[in-house]
PDB file of all heavy atoms in Angstrom:
ATOM      1  N   GLN A  32      -5.391 -18.773  13.647  1.00 88.00           N
ATOM      2  CA  GLN A  32      -5.322 -17.381  13.194  1.00 88.00           C
ATOM      3  C   GLN A  32      -5.946 -17.235  11.800  1.00 88.00           C
ATOM      4  O   GLN A  32      -6.691 -16.309  11.522  1.00 88.00           O
ATOM      5  CB  GLN A  32      -3.860 -16.935  13.151  1.00 88.00           C
ATOM      6  CG  GLN A  32      -3.659 -15.492  12.723  1.00 88.00           C
ATOM      7  CD  GLN A  32      -3.847 -14.547  13.881  1.00 88.00           C
ATOM      8  OE1 GLN A  32      -3.301 -14.762  14.957  1.00 88.00           O
ATOM      9  NE2 GLN A  32      -4.623 -13.504  13.676  1.00 88.00           N
ATOM     10  N   LEU A  51     -24.388   0.641   5.646  1.00 73.00           N
ATOM     11  CA  LEU A  51     -24.335   1.859   4.859  1.00 73.00           C
ATOM     12  C   LEU A  51     -25.720   2.246   4.357  1.00 73.00           C
ATOM     13  O   LEU A  51     -26.580   1.381   4.163  1.00 73.00           O
ATOM     14  CB  LEU A  51     -23.371   1.672   3.685  1.00 73.00           C
ATOM     15  CG  LEU A  51     -21.940   1.451   4.153  1.00 73.00           C
ATOM     16  CD1 LEU A  51     -21.028   1.138   2.992  1.00 73.00           C
ATOM     17  CD2 LEU A  51     -21.450   2.670   4.901  1.00 73.00           C
ATOM     18  N   THR A  53     -26.814   3.311   1.495  1.00 67.00           N
ATOM     19  CA  THR A  53     -27.284   2.949   0.161  1.00 67.00           C
ATOM     20  C   THR A  53     -27.718   1.478   0.120  1.00 67.00           C
ATOM     21  O   THR A  53     -27.173   0.643   0.804  1.00 67.00           O
ATOM     22  CB  THR A  53     -26.181   3.148  -0.884  1.00 67.00           C
ATOM     23  OG1 THR A  53     -24.955   2.745  -0.305  1.00 67.00           O
ATOM     24  CG2 THR A  53     -26.118   4.563  -1.366  1.00 67.00           C
ATOM     25  N   VAL A 167      15.490   3.770  -4.068  1.00 82.00           N
ATOM     26  CA  VAL A 167      14.955   4.530  -2.949  1.00 82.00           C
ATOM     27  C   VAL A 167      14.063   5.665  -3.455  1.00 82.00           C
ATOM     28  O   VAL A 167      13.095   6.051  -2.799  1.00 82.00           O
ATOM     29  CB  VAL A 167      16.109   5.050  -2.060  1.00 82.00           C
ATOM     30  CG1 VAL A 167      15.633   6.087  -1.082  1.00 82.00           C
ATOM     31  CG2 VAL A 167      16.743   3.889  -1.316  1.00 82.00           C
ATOM     32  N   PHE A 175      -0.030   3.492  -8.233  1.00 86.00           N
ATOM     33  CA  PHE A 175      -0.821   3.808  -9.419  1.00 86.00           C
ATOM     34  C   PHE A 175      -0.063   4.750 -10.361  1.00 86.00           C
ATOM     35  O   PHE A 175      -0.052   4.587 -11.571  1.00 86.00           O
ATOM     36  CB  PHE A 175      -2.138   4.466  -8.996  1.00 86.00           C
ATOM     37  CG  PHE A 175      -3.010   4.766 -10.150  1.00 86.00           C
ATOM     38  CD1 PHE A 175      -3.874   3.813 -10.635  1.00 86.00           C
ATOM     39  CD2 PHE A 175      -2.956   5.995 -10.787  1.00 86.00           C
ATOM     40  CE1 PHE A 175      -4.662   4.073 -11.730  1.00 86.00           C
ATOM     41  CE2 PHE A 175      -3.736   6.262 -11.875  1.00 86.00           C
ATOM     42  CZ  PHE A 175      -4.591   5.298 -12.347  1.00 86.00           C
ATOM     43  N   ILE A 176       0.595   5.740  -9.758  1.00 88.00           N
ATOM     44  CA  ILE A 176       1.324   6.724 -10.553  1.00 88.00           C
ATOM     45  C   ILE A 176       2.460   6.061 -11.322  1.00 88.00           C
ATOM     46  O   ILE A 176       2.655   6.309 -12.511  1.00 88.00           O
ATOM     47  CB  ILE A 176       1.900   7.836  -9.634  1.00 88.00           C
ATOM     48  CG1 ILE A 176       0.793   8.475  -8.817  1.00 88.00           C
ATOM     49  CG2 ILE A 176       2.707   8.847 -10.414  1.00 88.00           C
ATOM     50  CD1 ILE A 176       0.111   9.618  -9.445  1.00 88.00           C
ATOM     51  N   LEU A 183       2.347   5.329 -19.991  1.00 83.00           N
ATOM     52  CA  LEU A 183       2.504   6.515 -20.833  1.00 83.00           C
ATOM     53  C   LEU A 183       3.764   6.433 -21.661  1.00 83.00           C
ATOM     54  O   LEU A 183       3.750   6.669 -22.868  1.00 83.00           O
ATOM     55  CB  LEU A 183       2.567   7.785 -19.968  1.00 83.00           C
ATOM     56  CG  LEU A 183       1.285   8.200 -19.291  1.00 83.00           C
ATOM     57  CD1 LEU A 183       1.454   9.555 -18.641  1.00 83.00           C
ATOM     58  CD2 LEU A 183       0.163   8.247 -20.304  1.00 83.00           C
ATOM     59  N   TYR A 188       3.790   6.726 -25.732  1.00 76.00           N
ATOM     60  CA  TYR A 188       4.685   7.612 -26.475  1.00 76.00           C
ATOM     61  C   TYR A 188       5.725   6.825 -27.263  1.00 76.00           C
ATOM     62  O   TYR A 188       6.046   7.166 -28.393  1.00 76.00           O
ATOM     63  CB  TYR A 188       5.353   8.622 -25.544  1.00 76.00           C
ATOM     64  CG  TYR A 188       4.394   9.688 -25.114  1.00 76.00           C
ATOM     65  CD1 TYR A 188       4.012   9.821 -23.796  1.00 76.00           C
ATOM     66  CD2 TYR A 188       3.831  10.555 -26.060  1.00 76.00           C
ATOM     67  CE1 TYR A 188       3.097  10.790 -23.408  1.00 76.00           C
ATOM     68  CE2 TYR A 188       2.914  11.525 -25.679  1.00 76.00           C
ATOM     69  CZ  TYR A 188       2.557  11.634 -24.365  1.00 76.00           C
ATOM     70  OH  TYR A 188       1.651  12.583 -24.002  1.00 76.00           O
ATOM     71  N   GLU A 287      -2.516  -6.314  -3.744  1.00 85.00           N
ATOM     72  CA  GLU A 287      -3.175  -5.034  -4.007  1.00 85.00           C
ATOM     73  C   GLU A 287      -2.506  -4.330  -5.178  1.00 85.00           C
ATOM     74  O   GLU A 287      -3.167  -3.750  -6.036  1.00 85.00           O
ATOM     75  CB  GLU A 287      -3.128  -4.146  -2.764  1.00 85.00           C
ATOM     76  CG  GLU A 287      -4.108  -4.605  -1.732  1.00 85.00           C
ATOM     77  CD  GLU A 287      -3.978  -3.878  -0.423  1.00 85.00           C
ATOM     78  OE1 GLU A 287      -3.157  -2.940  -0.322  1.00 85.00           O
ATOM     79  OE2 GLU A 287      -4.704  -4.251   0.508  1.00 85.00           O
ATOM     80  N   PHE A 314     -22.434  -5.033  -8.136  1.00 83.00           N
ATOM     81  CA  PHE A 314     -22.207  -5.173  -6.696  1.00 83.00           C
ATOM     82  C   PHE A 314     -21.770  -6.587  -6.326  1.00 83.00           C
ATOM     83  O   PHE A 314     -20.861  -6.787  -5.532  1.00 83.00           O
ATOM     84  CB  PHE A 314     -23.482  -4.793  -5.945  1.00 83.00           C
ATOM     85  CG  PHE A 314     -23.438  -5.103  -4.486  1.00 83.00           C
ATOM     86  CD1 PHE A 314     -22.688  -4.307  -3.630  1.00 83.00           C
ATOM     87  CD2 PHE A 314     -24.102  -6.197  -3.966  1.00 83.00           C
ATOM     88  CE1 PHE A 314     -22.620  -4.596  -2.297  1.00 83.00           C
ATOM     89  CE2 PHE A 314     -24.031  -6.493  -2.625  1.00 83.00           C
ATOM     90  CZ  PHE A 314     -23.298  -5.696  -1.786  1.00 83.00           C
TER      91      PHE A 314
ATOM     92  N   THR B 123      -4.643 -10.266  12.838  1.00 87.00           N
ATOM     93  CA  THR B 123      -5.797 -10.510  11.975  1.00 87.00           C
ATOM     94  C   THR B 123      -5.944  -9.403  10.937  1.00 87.00           C
ATOM     95  O   THR B 123      -6.182  -9.662   9.761  1.00 87.00           O
ATOM     96  CB  THR B 123      -7.079 -10.584  12.825  1.00 87.00           C
ATOM     97  OG1 THR B 123      -6.897 -11.556  13.829  1.00 87.00           O
ATOM     98  CG2 THR B 123      -8.269 -10.951  11.973  1.00 87.00           C
ATOM     99  N   ARG B 129      -6.692  -4.691   2.030  1.00 89.00           N
ATOM    100  CA  ARG B 129      -7.418  -3.447   2.294  1.00 89.00           C
ATOM    101  C   ARG B 129      -8.049  -2.851   1.065  1.00 89.00           C
ATOM    102  O   ARG B 129      -9.106  -2.249   1.135  1.00 89.00           O
ATOM    103  CB  ARG B 129      -6.463  -2.429   2.928  1.00 89.00           C
ATOM    104  CG  ARG B 129      -6.005  -2.865   4.284  1.00 89.00           C
ATOM    105  CD  ARG B 129      -4.960  -1.954   4.827  1.00 89.00           C
ATOM    106  NE  ARG B 129      -3.727  -2.012   4.042  1.00 89.00           N
ATOM    107  CZ  ARG B 129      -2.632  -1.360   4.376  1.00 89.00           C
ATOM    108  NH1 ARG B 129      -2.616  -0.622   5.443  1.00 89.00           N
ATOM    109  NH2 ARG B 129      -1.549  -1.451   3.634  1.00 89.00           N
ATOM    110  N   LEU B 130      -7.381  -3.001  -0.084  1.00 91.00           N
ATOM    111  CA  LEU B 130      -7.917  -2.356  -1.285  1.00 91.00           C
ATOM    112  C   LEU B 130      -9.302  -2.866  -1.660  1.00 91.00           C
ATOM    113  O   LEU B 130     -10.204  -2.058  -1.896  1.00 91.00           O
ATOM    114  CB  LEU B 130      -6.923  -2.516  -2.443  1.00 91.00           C
ATOM    115  CG  LEU B 130      -7.323  -1.817  -3.736  1.00 91.00           C
ATOM    116  CD1 LEU B 130      -7.433  -0.324  -3.545  1.00 91.00           C
ATOM    117  CD2 LEU B 130      -6.333  -2.118  -4.847  1.00 91.00           C
ATOM    118  N   MET B 139     -20.169   1.428  -2.142  1.00 83.00           N
ATOM    119  CA  MET B 139     -21.487   1.498  -1.521  1.00 83.00           C
ATOM    120  C   MET B 139     -21.917   2.938  -1.268  1.00 83.00           C
ATOM    121  O   MET B 139     -23.088   3.261  -1.372  1.00 83.00           O
ATOM    122  CB  MET B 139     -21.481   0.740  -0.189  1.00 83.00           C
ATOM    123  CG  MET B 139     -21.226  -0.739  -0.285  1.00 83.00           C
ATOM    124  SD  MET B 139     -22.527  -1.614  -1.139  1.00 83.00           S
ATOM    125  CE  MET B 139     -23.948  -1.137  -0.177  1.00 83.00           C
ATOM    126  N   VAL B 224      -9.291   7.618  -9.156  1.00 89.00           N
ATOM    127  CA  VAL B 224      -9.194   7.252 -10.566  1.00 89.00           C
ATOM    128  C   VAL B 224     -10.272   6.230 -10.911  1.00 89.00           C
ATOM    129  O   VAL B 224     -10.790   6.211 -12.029  1.00 89.00           O
ATOM    130  CB  VAL B 224      -7.785   6.711 -10.875  1.00 89.00           C
ATOM    131  CG1 VAL B 224      -7.728   6.125 -12.258  1.00 89.00           C
ATOM    132  CG2 VAL B 224      -6.782   7.832 -10.762  1.00 89.00           C
ATOM    133  N   LEU B 225     -10.661   5.400  -9.937  1.00 89.00           N
ATOM    134  CA  LEU B 225     -11.750   4.460 -10.176  1.00 89.00           C
ATOM    135  C   LEU B 225     -13.106   5.160 -10.139  1.00 89.00           C
ATOM    136  O   LEU B 225     -14.132   4.538 -10.363  1.00 89.00           O
ATOM    137  CB  LEU B 225     -11.724   3.355  -9.115  1.00 89.00           C
ATOM    138  CG  LEU B 225     -10.556   2.389  -9.212  1.00 89.00           C
ATOM    139  CD1 LEU B 225     -10.544   1.431  -8.034  1.00 89.00           C
ATOM    140  CD2 LEU B 225     -10.637   1.601 -10.504  1.00 89.00           C
ATOM    141  N   LEU B 248      -4.902  12.395 -22.767  1.00 75.00           N
ATOM    142  CA  LEU B 248      -3.761  11.735 -23.395  1.00 75.00           C
ATOM    143  C   LEU B 248      -3.898  11.691 -24.902  1.00 75.00           C
ATOM    144  O   LEU B 248      -2.996  12.065 -25.645  1.00 75.00           O
ATOM    145  CB  LEU B 248      -3.686  10.310 -22.893  1.00 75.00           C
ATOM    146  CG  LEU B 248      -2.677  10.036 -21.820  1.00 75.00           C
ATOM    147  CD1 LEU B 248      -2.591   8.565 -21.603  1.00 75.00           C
ATOM    148  CD2 LEU B 248      -1.346  10.620 -22.249  1.00 75.00           C
ATOM    149  N   LEU B 249      -5.070  11.201 -25.365  1.00 74.00           N
ATOM    150  CA  LEU B 249      -5.293  11.081 -26.798  1.00 74.00           C
ATOM    151  C   LEU B 249      -5.205  12.447 -27.460  1.00 74.00           C
ATOM    152  O   LEU B 249      -4.722  12.580 -28.572  1.00 74.00           O
ATOM    153  CB  LEU B 249      -6.673  10.464 -27.061  1.00 74.00           C
ATOM    154  CG  LEU B 249      -6.759   8.972 -26.793  1.00 74.00           C
ATOM    155  CD1 LEU B 249      -8.159   8.464 -27.012  1.00 74.00           C
ATOM    156  CD2 LEU B 249      -5.788   8.242 -27.703  1.00 74.00           C
ATOM    157  N   ARG B 251      -3.359  14.745 -26.512  1.00 77.00           N
ATOM    158  CA  ARG B 251      -2.011  15.265 -26.236  1.00 77.00           C
ATOM    159  C   ARG B 251      -2.036  16.495 -25.332  1.00 77.00           C
ATOM    160  O   ARG B 251      -1.250  17.411 -25.515  1.00 77.00           O
ATOM    161  CB  ARG B 251      -1.269  15.603 -27.533  1.00 77.00           C
ATOM    162  CG  ARG B 251      -1.228  14.452 -28.501  1.00 77.00           C
ATOM    163  CD  ARG B 251       0.197  14.110 -28.825  1.00 77.00           C
ATOM    164  NE  ARG B 251       0.282  12.684 -29.181  1.00 77.00           N
ATOM    165  CZ  ARG B 251       1.408  11.987 -29.142  1.00 77.00           C
ATOM    166  NH1 ARG B 251       2.498  12.550 -28.744  1.00 77.00           N
ATOM    167  NH2 ARG B 251       1.422  10.732 -29.468  1.00 77.00           N
ATOM    168  N   SER B 263       2.341  14.642  -7.147  1.00 91.00           N
ATOM    169  CA  SER B 263       2.315  13.516  -6.220  1.00 91.00           C
ATOM    170  C   SER B 263       3.703  12.909  -6.055  1.00 91.00           C
ATOM    171  O   SER B 263       4.110  12.577  -4.940  1.00 91.00           O
ATOM    172  CB  SER B 263       1.316  12.453  -6.688  1.00 91.00           C
ATOM    173  OG  SER B 263       1.789  11.832  -7.847  1.00 91.00           O
ATOM    174  N   TYR B 271       9.751  11.499   1.840  1.00 86.00           N
ATOM    175  CA  TYR B 271      10.591  10.352   2.157  1.00 86.00           C
ATOM    176  C   TYR B 271      12.007  10.806   2.498  1.00 86.00           C
ATOM    177  O   TYR B 271      12.588  10.377   3.506  1.00 86.00           O
ATOM    178  CB  TYR B 271      10.598   9.401   0.961  1.00 86.00           C
ATOM    179  CG  TYR B 271      11.312   8.115   1.220  1.00 86.00           C
ATOM    180  CD1 TYR B 271      10.743   7.143   2.026  1.00 86.00           C
ATOM    181  CD2 TYR B 271      12.556   7.863   0.662  1.00 86.00           C
ATOM    182  CE1 TYR B 271      11.390   5.959   2.276  1.00 86.00           C
ATOM    183  CE2 TYR B 271      13.210   6.681   0.907  1.00 86.00           C
ATOM    184  CZ  TYR B 271      12.626   5.735   1.715  1.00 86.00           C
ATOM    185  OH  TYR B 271      13.279   4.573   1.955  1.00 86.00           O
TER     186      TYR B 271
END
Side-chain angles (χ1 to χ4, degrees):
Chain A
Q32 181 83 48
L51 296 175
T53 39
V167 167
F175 182 87
I176 304 271
L183 290 188
Y188 286 115
E287 285 173 4
F314 171 75
Chain B
T123 305
R129 294 173 294 184
L130 183 62
M139 296 294 304
V224 171
L225 291 174
L248 259 189
L249 285 177
R251 306 238 152 200
S263 69
Y271 186 73

